[in-house]
Amino acid sequence: LNDNLKIFDISKATLVYDEFYMMLMRTCVGQTAEMDWRNSYDLTESDVNYILDGKTGYYTIAGPIRLGALLAGKNPTADNDLFDTIDEFGLNLGRAFKLTDDILDLVSDFSGLKQKGNAIQEGKRSLLFIRLLTALSGSELTKFKFIMDKSIGEKSQEEINYVISLMDQHKIIDT
């Protein structure tokens, strides 16, 4: 980033530096929220989107596009509508990307390269997790929480498959 001072004028280099710093901060906030809420059962889809927006949408998509716009001479103050559009596009695409990734984690055969249901093993609070949680009751809910409360590495593949079967039974992936 400091090398930008050799290429761009100080005002553009400062905008790029500030934007990159904002990307890192939003990512850290998203990661911190995910860690703080790791064992929570009262999260909403909005809470999960808050995590995704910082960790995936802004860092991976909106932030880099915003950096490109800055380098192309756009200014967040003067071109506010453009930057709002970039944010909306990036955050929505980030959510779609993460939801696709979560579904693939449950339905794909990774040929031994990755454990199926890795997000369940890690206890991730995803949109699929929230939707399953609201669909369950009684003994299914009790068993689900018992499994999800286990630490990373303590869940058996049988338990992970059980959670995946619950998602199939309650058509969580289909919705």
Side-chain angles (χ1 to χ4, degrees):
L1 290 175
N2 286 335
D3 289 346
N4 285 334
L5 293 171
K6 299 173 191 169
I7 302 168
F8 303 113
D9 64 72
I10 188 73
S11 63
K12 185 180 282 191
T14 300
L15 284 171
V16 169
Y17 183 84
D18 290 346
E19 184 65 34
F20 189 79
Y21 176 77
M22 184 58 64
M23 284 173 52
L24 293 177
M25 290 303 299
R26 288 185 73 163
T27 302
C28 289
V29 167
Q31 180 64 44
T32 301
E34 182 177 51
M35 291 169 56
D36 285 348
W37 295 338
R38 181 161 294 177
N39 298 317
S40 180
Y41 288 99
D42 61 353
L43 296 178
T44 64
E45 288 191 17
S46 182
D47 295 329
V48 172
N49 283 333
Y50 179 81
I51 294 168
L52 298 179
D53 290 349
K55 289 186 59 181
T56 305
Y58 199 83
Y59 177 78
T60 307
I61 301 165
I65 295 172
R66 288 173 62 96
L67 284 170
L70 291 172
L71 293 172
K74 301 300 180 182
N75 185 298
T77 304
D79 301 304
N80 190 42
D81 289 346
L82 171 66
F83 282 85
D84 286 347
T85 300
I86 290 170
D87 288 345
E88 183 179 358
F89 170 78
L91 298 180
N92 285 323
L93 186 58
R95 290 174 185 182
F97 170 84
K98 187 60 181 138
L99 182 57
T100 301
D101 184 57
D102 290 342
I103 291 170
L104 289 173
D105 179 60
L106 298 173
V107 301
S108 295
D109 175 15
F110 297 101
S111 302
L113 298 174
K114 180 180 169 187
Q115 178 182 348
K116 186 175 183 178
N118 194 52
I120 296 167
Q121 181 64 257
E122 294 179 8
K124 296 272 185 172
R125 290 346 197 213
S126 66
L127 291 175
L128 300 174
F129 172 94
I130 298 297
R131 290 181 180 168
L132 180 60
L133 185 63
T134 59
L136 297 178
S137 62
S139 63
E140 285 181 334
L141 179 60
T142 302
K143 186 171 180 179
F144 172 69
K145 286 183 175 182
F146 175 77
I147 293 169
M148 295 306 292
D149 284 341
K150 290 184 173 187
S151 298
I152 296 173
E154 289 185 354
K155 298 173 188 86
S156 68
Q157 190 61 48
E158 181 180 298
E159 290 171 320
I160 291 168
N161 290 341
Y162 173 75
V163 173
I164 294 171
S165 74
L166 288 175
M167 290 194 182
D168 288 339
Q169 290 170 22
H170 292 278
K171 303 196 180 311
I172 301 302
I173 296 170
D174 298 340
T175 56

